[in-house]
């Protein structure tokens, strides 16, 4: 079933349709994927890889083929943290990593995580540079060794990504990976979103996926949703903790039954790393880059409250009736937004390790020690909702 | 076990599918015709070496009707254990006389009451069986005498239920999830525990909601009655609760696949459709399946009503769905039917022919609609979500689409 390179739609469609009528064939996501590739096994642990294990993995990685990887990373937003974790995973596995962060090393944006923690990358052997995606060559310097793999985590449309893709192709990169978005799926009555489902053709990410499918023999696209994890550049669970620690009600739009994927970023990194180490298995494929469990808004509040040692206090509201924009009043899309990582499990033998109740405890510990819970904060939209 | 390629020729449908309902067919059914044939049909000669003496507890109502045909076609000797209250066999809609004659001449009947444990023990040990498919077992006490009677049993295949899972905010349910010892399916759980504790090779299948022709549970039928009557569909809550349907023929196929399969030994498998669906989405899918126009959906708060003993909606008012990934990856089996195709199959072979199990009863609908009439019908608006064509009431901004 390993597909040779083909267009995104055809690959994804045949991935889905290949299941039809297929009973009694031997399993393709066999346990041998996991045991042959210690990365996936190691990724189960939450702690960063210990030196002893890196050494062991370095030996195996060399056997598997040490790669030179360039990660072109956005300088802000929800995706910023992905490049940070991916770099760490690849470094621990013995690969050579360069991180090109968009913009200026001196910009204020670099004071925020994960950029403020880049010493963790450089001390592990990464090269960190800054520059413009429209001139990757200038940023990474000419005359150096070519990159085997280029990962673009820099943009959501061709304006941002085409120059990177074009440069990568000209520079002879063997594999191009794109961090896309599960937000491009067309809403549907039938869930979850699986690879191959219809996407919004006008979405910038879709344009990028189609472009790279046409340009590269070996490409893959990863579609994430929401992430938690230390070093995140964008709030996620903090929105809930902010209210819970101040004894405030948590306003939830609608019924609170809406399902979404909240994934620990280590899972995204492990999936991308598996693709780097298994280019043949990843080639031509789309991967929903999410954990294998969805959570309801209600459930998320309960888990955040439990992590904070508090009782959940939810107030439901109808955004239209109250007169607020749900996009501003709540951190997640006010609808089911639910994808499953079926392709990664099947083709890469990837396993999800996100365990929200446990992960949120760790997140709360960091939140609590940060002092954010004591800061003055205004809750204007909340107050409007609660007084309605 | 016989390998399966795709199931092309039809057992239960003469081709093409459009013979039955002509214009009312959806395009998707016409261009991607799904048909189902028991796996063994092309392997009859080879299968005789693997032929088993199989006992099916039940087998005359729904799942067993399809499963028994599959097993007979594969060359096994199949005995149905029933009280004989319903006919042992019935010709299925679309099944040719010849095929029906072939099946009904081969399937055997053991008449008895499985609650009569002494009879179960003596009759089964007298006959001896290689494999038991327990389709209608509810309590562990019913299973013990069967195990006692058949000490050399090769496999006990049990129809359990995903209803055993403890309700959770984290979904889908996986086979490793916590189960609810207080659920109304606790008998199924206790049976699974009994099987685990006995020295028997067991397999347990946990379906979610089963649908398809001959369904005696008014699942799709509930929607079809309303659609046919041109009535609105009352859906509790926001209508974005997510459920999951699995076609009975896919379930039968899965049951067939675990037979003699070492990967199924002492394992539990969720078996259902590959995708899940919202309540509102299911109403729309049923409409598509039966060639009805887009349905009027009316949401209501069940707490505002006292329906007494009547059930106002055929599904549990919560998210309820399970991942079938274990069966897919370990047994190599995936469902043939997607939701609209499967509902169309059910409509064409059952409700669409004028057959159903339960008469339409709109009592609870009228209670809901009477109360909602003014607020809902006066102020319907289109859903604002991108690409969604739904219509909704004044209260909702979008409908969890």
């Amino acid at each position: 079933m390993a597909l040779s390179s083909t267009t995104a739609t055809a690959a994804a469609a045949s991935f889905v349709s290949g299941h039809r009528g297929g009973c009694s064939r031997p399993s393709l996501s066999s346990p041998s994927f996991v045991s042959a590739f210690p990365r996936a096994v190691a990724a189960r642990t939450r702690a960063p890889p210990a030196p002893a294990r890196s050494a062991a993995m370095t030996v195996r990685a060399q056997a598997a083929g040490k790669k030179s990887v360039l990660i072109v990373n956005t300088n802000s937003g929800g995706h910023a943290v992905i490049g940070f974790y991916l770099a760490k995973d690849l470094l621990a596995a013995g690969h050579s990593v360069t991180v090109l962060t968009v913009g200026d090393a001196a910009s204020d944006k670099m004071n925020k995580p994960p950029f403020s923690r880049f010493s963790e990358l450089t001390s592990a052997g990464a090269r960190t540079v800054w520059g413009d995606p429209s001139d990757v060559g200038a940023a990474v310097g000419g005359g150096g060794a070519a990159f085997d793999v280029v990962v673009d985590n820099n943009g959501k449309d061709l304006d941002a990504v085409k120059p990177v893709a074009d440069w990568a192709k000209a520079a002879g990169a063997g594999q191009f990976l794109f961090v896309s978005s599960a937000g491009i799926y067309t809403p549907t009555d039938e869930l979850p979103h699986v690879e191959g489902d219809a996407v919004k053709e006008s979405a910038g990410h879709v344009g990028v996926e189609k472009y790279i499918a046409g340009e590269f023999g070996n490409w893959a696209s990863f579609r994430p949703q929401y992430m938690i994890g230390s070093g995140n550049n964008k709030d996620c669970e903090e929105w809930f903790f902010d209210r819970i620690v101040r004894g405030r009600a948590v306003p939830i739009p609608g019924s609170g039954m809406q399902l979404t994927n909240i994934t620990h970023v280590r899972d995204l990194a492990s999936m991308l790393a598996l693709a780097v180490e298994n280019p043949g298995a990843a080639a031509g494929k789309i991967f929903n880059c999410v954990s294998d469990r969805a959570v309801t808004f209600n459930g998320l509040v309960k888990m955040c409250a439990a992590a904070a040692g508090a009782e959940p206090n939810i107030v439901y509201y109808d955004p239209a009736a109250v007169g607020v924009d749900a996009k501003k009043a709540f951190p997640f899309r006010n609808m089911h937004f639910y994808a499953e990582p079926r392709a990664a499990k099947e083709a890469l033998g990837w396993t999800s390790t996100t365990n929200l109740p446990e992960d949120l405890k760790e997140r709360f510990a960091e939140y609590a020690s940060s002092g954010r819970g004591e800061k003055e904060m205004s809750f204007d939209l909340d107050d409007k909702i609660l007084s309605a | 076990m016989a390998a399966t390629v795709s199931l092309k020729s039809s057992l239960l449908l003469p081709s093409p599918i459009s013979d039955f309902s002509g214009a009312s067919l959806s395009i998707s059914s016409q261009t991607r015709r799904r048909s189902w044939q028991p796996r063994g049909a092309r392997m009859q000669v080879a299968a005789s070496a693997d032929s088993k003496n199989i006992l099916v507890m039940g087998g005359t109502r729904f799942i067993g009707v399809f499963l028994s045909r599959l097993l007979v076609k594969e060359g096994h000797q199949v005995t149905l254990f029933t009280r004989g209250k319903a006919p042992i066999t019935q010709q299925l809609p679309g099944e040719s006389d010849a095929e029906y004659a072939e099946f009904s001449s081969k399937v055997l009947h053991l008449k008895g009451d499985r609650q009569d444990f002494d009879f179960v023990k003596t009759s089964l040990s007298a006959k001896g069986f290689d494999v038991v498919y327990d389709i209608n077992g509810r309590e562990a006490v019913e299973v013990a005498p069967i195990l006692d009677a058949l000490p050399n049993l090769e496999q006990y295949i049990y129809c359990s239920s995903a209803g055993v899972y403890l309700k959770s905010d984290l979904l889908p349910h996986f086979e490793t999830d916590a189960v609810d010892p207080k659920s109304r399916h606790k008998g199924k759980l206790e049976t699974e525990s009994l099987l685990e504790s006995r020295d028997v090779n067991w397999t347990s299948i946990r379906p979610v909601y089963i649908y398809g022709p001959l369904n005696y549970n008014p699942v799709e039928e509930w929607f079809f009655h309303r659609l046919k009557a041109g009535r609105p569909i009352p859906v509790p809550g926001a209508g974005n609760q997510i459920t999951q349907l699995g076609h009975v023929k896919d379930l039968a196929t899965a049951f067939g696949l675990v037979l003699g399969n070492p990967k199924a030994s002492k394992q539990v498998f969720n078996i259902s459709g590959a995708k899940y669906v919202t309540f509102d989405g299911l109403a729309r899918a049923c409409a598509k399946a039966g060639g009805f126009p887009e349905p009027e959906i009316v949401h209501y708060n069940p707490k505002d009503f006292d329906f007494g003993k009547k059930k106002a909606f055929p599904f549990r008012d919560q998210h309820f769905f399970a991942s079938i990934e274990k069966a897919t990856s370990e047994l190599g089996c995936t469902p043939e039917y997607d939701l609209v195709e499967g509902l169309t199959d059910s409509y064409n072979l059952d409700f669409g022919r004028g057959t159903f199990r339960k008469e339409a009863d709109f009592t609870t609908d009228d209670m809901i609609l009477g109360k909602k009439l003014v607020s809902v019908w006066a102020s319907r608006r289109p859903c604002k979500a991108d690409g969604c064509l739904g219509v909704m009431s004044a209260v909702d901004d979008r409908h969890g689409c």
Side-chain angles (χ1 to χ4, degrees), chain A residues 19-29 186-194 197 200 255 257-259 292-296 298-300 302-303 318-321 326-327 334-336 338 340 342 345-346 355-357, chain B residues 2-6 32 34 39 169-174 177 238 240-242 253 257 263 274-278 281 284 318-319 321 325 328-341 386 395 397-398 400-401:
Chain A
H19 283 284
R20 298 250 187 233
C23 291
S24 242
R25 273 181 312 192
S27 162
L28 296 159
S29 65
T186 307
T188 167
D189 286 337
E190 291 189 59
L191 303 93
H193 296 305
V194 301
D197 282 358
K200 298 173 214 170
S255 62
M257 295 275 283
Q258 300 89 316
L259 276 168
D292 62 6
R293 300 265 201 185
V295 65
T296 60
N298 289 333
L300 189 58
K302 286 189 230 165
M303 288 171 207
D318 170 16
K327 288 195 194 87
N334 182 17
M335 57 196 291
H336 289 312
Y338 170 26
E340 277 185 7
R342 294 184 187 184
K345 286 188 173 187
E346 165 101 26
N355 177 338
L356 274 184
Chain B
T4 301
V5 191
S6 58
R32 293 185 294 142
R34 282 280 154 248
R39 292 186 308 123
D169 295 313
L170 285 166
L171 289 155
H173 291 300
F174 290 95
D177 280 6
N240 65 351
Q241 302 89 315
I242 299 177
T253 301
L257 271 178
K263 291 205 160 185
K275 284 223 180 181
Y276 327 123
V277 65
T278 61
R284 288 189 274 270
Q318 62 178 75
H319 291 318
F321 54 97
E325 161 190 304
T328 303
S329 63
E330 310 224 345
L331 306 174
C333 181
T334 51
E336 281 290 322
Y337 287 94
D338 71 27
L339 184 62
V340 173
E341 289 167 352
D386 252 323
V395 178
D397 187 38
R398 46 192 73 192
C401 53

Side-chain angles (χ1 to χ4, degrees), chain A residues 15-57:
Chain A
F15 172 78
V16 172
S17 65
H19 283 284
R20 298 250 187 233
C23 291
S24 242
R25 273 181 312 192
S27 162
L28 296 159
S29 65
S30 65
S32 67
F33 264 113
V34 175
S35 57
F37 297 103
R39 274 257 20 88
V41 176
R44 282 206 196 104
T45 61
R46 295 200 329 256
R53 195 159 67 242
S54 314
M57 281 198 287

Side-chain angles (χ1 to χ4, degrees), chain B residues 212-292:
Chain B
L214 302 183
N215 199 355
Y216 56 79
N217 194 6
V219 169
E220 65 270 51
E221 180 185 287
W222 187 91
F223 291 92
F224 289 148
H225 273 310
R226 282 144 186 84
L227 291 163
K228 182 169 180 194
R231 283 179 150 266
I233 316 278
V235 175
N240 65 351
Q241 302 89 315
I242 299 177
T243 190
Q244 183 182 18
L245 274 62
H247 198 287
V248 66
K249 294 175 201 173
D250 284 328
L251 181 57
T253 301
F255 271 114
L257 271 178
V258 301
L259 178 63
N261 189 336
K263 291 205 160 185
S265 176
K266 309 199 179 195
Q267 295 294 326
V268 174
F269 294 96
N270 296 330
I271 299 290
S272 192
K275 284 223 180 181
Y276 327 123
V277 65
T278 61
F279 287 173
D280 285 357
L282 180 55
R284 288 189 274 270
C286 288
K288 278 196 193 122
F292 297 105

Side-chain angles (χ1 to χ4, degrees), chain B residues 81-99:
Chain B
F81 184 114
T82 78
R83 290 171 300 171
K85 293 201 165 193
I88 312 312
T89 63
Q90 50 172 317
Q91 187 165 4
L92 296 178
E95 186 176 35
S96 74
D97 291 349
E99 281 170 329

Side-chain angles (χ1 to χ4, degrees), chain B residues 42-358:
Chain B
R42 292 189 251 154
M43 308 290 286
Q44 262 165 323
V45 173
S48 59
D50 285 321
S51 172
K52 301 286 177 194
N53 183 4
I54 298 178
L55 176 69
V56 178
M57 301 304 292
T60 58
R61 261 221 291 185
F62 186 34
I63 304 168
V65 166
F66 297 94
L67 175 60
S68 56
R69 274 168 175 70
L70 181 156
L71 296 170
V72 165
K73 275 271 178 172
E74 289 190 348
H76 302 292
Q77 180 177 294
V78 176
T79 303
L80 307 180
F81 184 114
T82 78
R83 290 171 300 171
K85 293 201 165 193
I88 312 312
T89 63
Q90 50 172 317
Q91 187 165 4
L92 296 178
E95 186 176 35
S96 74
D97 291 349
E99 281 170 329
Y100 178 59
E102 168 86 8
F103 168 70
S104 53
S105 68
K106 287 189 172 159
V107 78
L108 304 170
H109 182 231
L110 172 50
K111 182 172 170 165
D113 186 341
R114 75 174 294 174
Q115 303 299 337
D116 182 348
F117 301 148
D118 289 332
F119 174 77
V120 168
K121 217 166 153 181
T122 41
S123 59
L124 266 50
S125 58
K127 289 188 177 292
F129 292 97
D130 301 322
V131 174
V132 171
Y133 275 95
D134 187 350
I135 303 300
N136 64 8
R138 286 179 203 272
E139 303 294 337
V141 284
E142 297 165 15
V143 174
I146 300 174
L147 298 176
D148 294 341
L150 302 167
N152 299 318
L153 190 63
E154 291 174 21
Q155 191 176 14
Y156 196 102
I157 303 170
Y158 182 56
C159 187
S160 180
S161 168
V164 301
Y165 290 115
L166 184 64
K167 197 168 155 183
S168 175
D169 295 313
L170 285 166
L171 289 155
H173 291 300
F174 290 95
E175 289 82 351
T176 45
D177 280 6
V179 290
D180 183 1
K182 292 186 250 165
S183 85
R184 106 191 132 72
H185 298 280
K186 65 181 175 22
K188 302 279 194 185
L189 260 186
E190 287 159 10
T191 303
E192 289 182 349
S193 300
L194 175 72
L195 290 167
E196 174 75 51
S197 70
R198 295 282 293 255
D199 185 23
V200 66
N201 173 30
W202 61 271
T203 301
S204 183
I205 301 285
R206 293 177 181 167
V208 188
Y209 287 104
I210 311 167
Y211 74 110
L214 302 183
N215 199 355
Y216 56 79
N217 194 6
V219 169
E220 65 270 51
E221 180 185 287
W222 187 91
F223 291 92
F224 289 148
H225 273 310
R226 282 144 186 84
L227 291 163
K228 182 169 180 194
R231 283 179 150 266
I233 316 278
V235 175
N240 65 351
Q241 302 89 315
I242 299 177
T243 190
Q244 183 182 18
L245 274 62
H247 198 287
V248 66
K249 294 175 201 173
D250 284 328
L251 181 57
T253 301
F255 271 114
L257 271 178
V258 301
L259 178 63
N261 189 336
K263 291 205 160 185
S265 176
K266 309 199 179 195
Q267 295 294 326
V268 174
F269 294 96
N270 296 330
I271 299 290
S272 192
K275 284 223 180 181
Y276 327 123
V277 65
T278 61
F279 287 173
D280 285 357
L282 180 55
R284 288 189 274 270
C286 288
K288 278 196 193 122
F292 297 105
E294 171 102 14
E296 190 75 57
I297 295 172
V298 171
H299 294 126
Y300 65 96
N301 183 351
K303 295 190 183 134
D304 292 345
F305 300 90
D306 178 5
F307 298 123
K309 290 213 161 93
K310 286 187 185 279
K311 222 170 152 186
F313 192 70
F315 296 92
R316 338 162 140 59
D317 189 3
Q318 62 178 75
H319 291 318
F320 179 43
F321 54 97
S323 171
I324 62 167
E325 161 190 304
K326 181 180 174 184
T328 303
S329 63
E330 310 224 345
L331 306 174
C333 181
T334 51
E336 281 290 322
Y337 287 94
D338 71 27
L339 184 62
V340 173
E341 289 167 352
L343 289 168
T344 305
D345 178 73
S346 178
Y347 186 83
N348 290 345
L349 296 177
D350 196 356
F351 194 93
R353 293 172 175 233
T355 53
F356 48 80
R357 311 293 98 60
K358 246 188 118 182

